[in-house]
């Protein structure tokens, strides 16, 4: 196994930068650059020296003995002053050290996976945590990173292995009197796991929205103040506004944090009949994005017909509240009237939906759980056909177990790993 190194903190100037070494020769390599030997595990202040003895920097050096480390290997980390010159000098010195090489993207985390320190779901959660922009994203990533999904999968796996074992006993002793009918216990185990899998698969869509962002579309006729409202919500001139109908031709997106949730606001073209070909394309795109949005804010008059069906949770407001004698139920992006109430309404609605989330967060998780669920449903159907079909039921249960093992990366995921780790930086 090679010994690898890389900058583990962000590129550019900083108060402190972290350079990481991992592998069997990590401590040996670190001792070659430090002015005094390091303990196998612990910390110390050391001068870092070039090959000719030139002082490079004063660093806090941390050493971790495997397997009690992030990668499961020996690790040394240099906390150096975060100037680009210091970092470049230390990295250049490490390139001159025999048997060391620069890490590939995500290679530290990949070694953690290969050495059993993380399962695949935790690796994905680590990537999500690094990318987290809101509190909800951070919390969701932390749950999976702490092993929540892996623990669930292991519990399901144990129950299914128990169920398969009971059936195998019946098969093995088919010619003898078996004192206990195992079917009720097997059925109970399968039903419990199937219920859990069904609940988790239903929560994946919400989990993906927390990770990727909810979409909220602002809908209405031309010149009702959609772009002005978007600009007020964004706190900047994100969309062009004018008194001319049809100014907005494309969908304008603004990403923001609403109550800890990632939300993308969509300003859409005004809905109307038009002979303008380009505007017509924009209106058709507006309809499509509005249909796909998680929540829509309709700026319409009380008696105005809407050429889109309202869905549960959608918000209907009267536009241009600053120009009305009776401002109740209206909003104004120009003065900010009603904007706070709208933000609170959107936040509460999306938070309520977020309570349905489980610990599975990705489409891959959902696909593996659905595969396991399908196998369990097949096993339950076969069990009802009688003991002569128990061998088929046992194979269906084993198939469900394999799907759960793929969920956490124990088997059958080699083709995914290069894609997953390519999104990581060199030092992670």
């Amino acid at each position: 196994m090679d010994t690898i190194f890389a900058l583990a903190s962000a590129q550019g100037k900083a108060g402190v930068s972290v350079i990481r070494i991992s592998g069997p020769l990590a401590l040996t390599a670190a001792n070659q650059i430090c002015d005094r030997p390091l303990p196998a595990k612990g910390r110390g202040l050391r001068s870092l020296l070039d090959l000719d003895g030139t002082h490079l920097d004063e660093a806090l050096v941390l050493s971790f003995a495997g397997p009690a480390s992030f990668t499961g290997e020996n690790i040394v980390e240099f906390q150096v002053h975060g100037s680009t010159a210091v970092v470049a000098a230390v990295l250049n010195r490490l390139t001159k050290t025999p048997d060391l090489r620069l890490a590939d993207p995500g290679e530290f985390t990949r070694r953690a996976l290969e050495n059993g320190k993380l399962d695949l779901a935790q690796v994905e959660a680590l990537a999500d945590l690094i990318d987290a922009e809101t509190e909800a994203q951070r919390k969701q990533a932390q749950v999976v990173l702490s092993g929540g999904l892996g623990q669930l999968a292991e519990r399901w796996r144990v129950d299914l292995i128990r169920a398969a074992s009971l059936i195998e006993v019946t098969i093995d002793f088919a010619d003898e009197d078996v004192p206990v009918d195992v079917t009720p216990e097997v059925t109970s185990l399968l039903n419990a796991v199937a219920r859990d899998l069904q609940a988790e698969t239903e929560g994946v869509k919400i989990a993906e929205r927390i990770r990727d962002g909810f979409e909220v579309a602002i809908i209405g006729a031309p010149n009702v103040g959609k772009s002005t409202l978007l600009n007020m919500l964004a706190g900047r001139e994100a969309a062009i506004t004018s008194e001319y109908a049809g100014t907005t031709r494309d969908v304008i997106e603004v990403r923001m944090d609403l109550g800890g949730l990632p939300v993308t606001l969509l300003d859409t073209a005004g809905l109307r009949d038009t002979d303008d070909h380009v505007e017509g394309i924009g209106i058709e795109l507006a309809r499509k994005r509005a249909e796909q949005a998680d929540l829509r804010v309709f700026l319409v008059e009380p008696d105005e017909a809407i050429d889109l069906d309202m869905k549960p949770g959608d918000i209907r407001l009267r536009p241009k509240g600053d120009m009305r004698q009776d401002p109740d139920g209206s909003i104004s992006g120009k003065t900010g009237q009603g904007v706070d109430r709208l933000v609170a309404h959107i936040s509460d609605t999306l938070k309520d939906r977020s309570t349905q989330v489980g610990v599975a967060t990705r489409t891959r998780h959902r696909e593996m759980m659905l595969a396991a669920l399908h196998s369990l449903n097949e096993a339950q159907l076969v069990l009802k056909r009688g003991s002569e079909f128990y061998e088929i039921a046992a194979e269906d249960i084993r198939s469900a177990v394999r799907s759960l093992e793929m969920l956490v990366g124990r088997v059958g995921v080699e083709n995914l790993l290069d894609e997953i780790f390519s999104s990581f930086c060199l030092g992670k």
Side-chain angles (χ1 to χ4, degrees):
M1 179 70 73
D2 293 342
T3 299
I4 57 176
F5 71 92
L7 176 65
S9 51
Q11 295 277 357
K13 294 181 181 179
V16 175
S17 291
V18 178
I19 297 171
R20 175 183 290 164
I21 310 175
S22 179
L25 299 179
L27 191 62
T28 301
N31 280 328
Q32 292 180 31
I33 190 174
C34 291
D35 63 337
R36 302 192 312 279
L38 293 167
K41 55 181 179 179
R43 63 186 184 274
L45 190 64
R46 296 290 188 273
S47 291
L48 306 185
L49 308 176
D50 208 342
L51 286 175
D52 60 3
T54 302
H55 177 80
L56 298 176
D57 194 28
E58 199 82 9
L60 175 63
V61 186
L62 308 178
S63 51
F64 308 86
S69 69
F70 172 71
T71 61
E73 305 171 335
N74 293 336
I75 285 182
V76 175
E77 291 186 352
F78 300 108
Q79 295 188 10
V80 300
H81 293 96
S83 77
T84 55
V86 168
V87 171
V90 176
L91 290 175
N92 183 58
R93 171 63 180 86
L94 290 174
T95 62
K96 301 173 185 176
T97 304
D99 301 317
L100 250 66
R101 66 168 175 83
L102 188 65
D104 293 328
E107 191 169 2
F108 291 99
T109 307
R110 186 162 188 160
R111 291 189 177 195
L113 173 68
E114 292 169 347
N115 292 328
K117 306 300 291 186
L118 298 174
D119 62 38
L120 186 56
Q122 288 176 295
V123 168
E124 293 166 324
L126 181 57
D128 291 341
L129 183 61
I130 292 171
D131 292 336
E133 298 174 338
T134 69
E135 181 65 4
Q137 290 172 327
R138 181 193 67 79
K139 288 181 177 178
Q140 178 171 278
Q142 289 282 18
V143 169
V144 185
L145 182 58
S146 66
L149 183 57
Q151 291 165 12
L152 263 183
E154 181 59 24
R155 192 187 78 199
W156 296 332
R157 179 177 172 274
V158 168
D159 286 348
L160 294 183
I161 289 175
R162 164 73 177 168
S165 299
L166 290 171
I167 293 176
E168 294 286 358
V169 168
T170 304
I171 296 171
D172 291 342
F173 295 94
D175 297 331
E176 302 178 21
D177 292 331
V178 180
V180 178
D181 180 9
V182 301
T183 305
E185 183 177 354
V186 170
T187 301
S188 176
L189 288 167
L190 298 188
N191 285 338
V193 174
R195 282 195 301 270
D196 285 353
L197 285 169
Q198 186 65 48
E200 282 298 325
T201 57
E202 290 172 356
V204 170
K205 183 177 180 181
I206 297 298
E208 287 182 320
R209 281 304 193 214
I210 292 175
R211 189 180 72 246
D212 299 332
F214 291 92
E215 287 193 348
V216 177
I218 304 173
I219 309 297
N223 255 2
V224 295
K226 299 185 299 298
S227 297
T228 303
L229 176 59
L230 178 79
N231 290 340
M232 173 62 74
L233 291 167
R236 60 185 176 87
E237 294 295 317
I240 298 173
T241 61
S242 80
E243 70 274 17
Y244 299 106
T247 299
T248 300
R249 299 291 181 96
D250 201 355
V251 176
I252 298 172
E253 302 183 8
V254 174
R255 190 172 176 88
M256 58 191 302
D257 181 334
L258 284 184
L261 292 170
V263 175
T264 298
L265 296 172
L266 308 177
D267 177 22
T268 60
L271 302 182
R272 67 170 179 173
D273 294 328
T274 180
D275 294 327
D276 187 311
H277 177 68
V278 176
E279 185 183 357
I281 294 174
I283 291 172
E284 184 58 33
L285 179 59
R287 293 180 187 277
K288 183 177 180 180
R289 291 298 297 274
E291 286 290 346
Q292 296 172 345
D294 301 287
L295 187 64
R296 282 87 60 82
V297 178
F298 290 91
L299 301 185
V300 293
E301 298 294 343
D303 57 350
E304 184 179 347
I306 304 174
D307 196 18
L308 281 171
D309 293 332
M310 291 191 69
K311 299 178 181 179
D314 284 349
I315 302 167
R316 181 169 180 155
L317 296 168
R318 294 192 295 164
K320 299 185 178 181
D322 58 293
M323 300 173 63
R324 296 179 179 274
Q325 294 286 341
D326 178 12
D328 288 347
S330 67
I331 193 167
S332 171
K334 186 175 182 180
T335 65
Q337 171 199 315
V339 170
D340 288 345
R341 288 194 300 274
L342 174 62
V343 170
H345 192 158
I346 293 172
S347 298
D348 291 344
T349 300
L350 297 181
K351 283 180 180 178
D352 183 61
R353 294 182 186 180
S354 298
T355 60
Q356 304 167 29
V357 71
V359 295
T361 61
R362 291 175 175 254
T363 299
R364 186 188 70 82
H365 302 165
R366 184 173 183 272
E367 290 174 349
M368 293 299 98
M369 291 189 297
L370 285 176
L373 188 58
H374 174 74
S375 297
L376 294 186
N377 289 337
E378 290 294 313
Q380 289 171 315
L381 291 174
V382 171
L383 283 173
K384 294 177 181 179
R385 296 170 63 184
S387 58
E388 61 268 31
F389 296 97
Y390 276 6
E391 190 168 345
I392 299 174
E395 179 55 35
D396 286 331
I397 295 172
R398 286 192 290 269
S399 179
V401 171
R402 285 193 292 272
S403 294
L404 295 178
E405 290 176 337
M406 291 176 69
L407 173 65
V408 295
R410 288 184 179 176
V411 295
V413 294
E414 284 300 320
N415 58 323
L416 293 173
L417 296 184
D418 288 341
E419 179 181 348
I420 290 171
F421 289 113
S422 66
S423 65
F424 281 75
C425 63
L426 293 181
K428 200 62 182 175

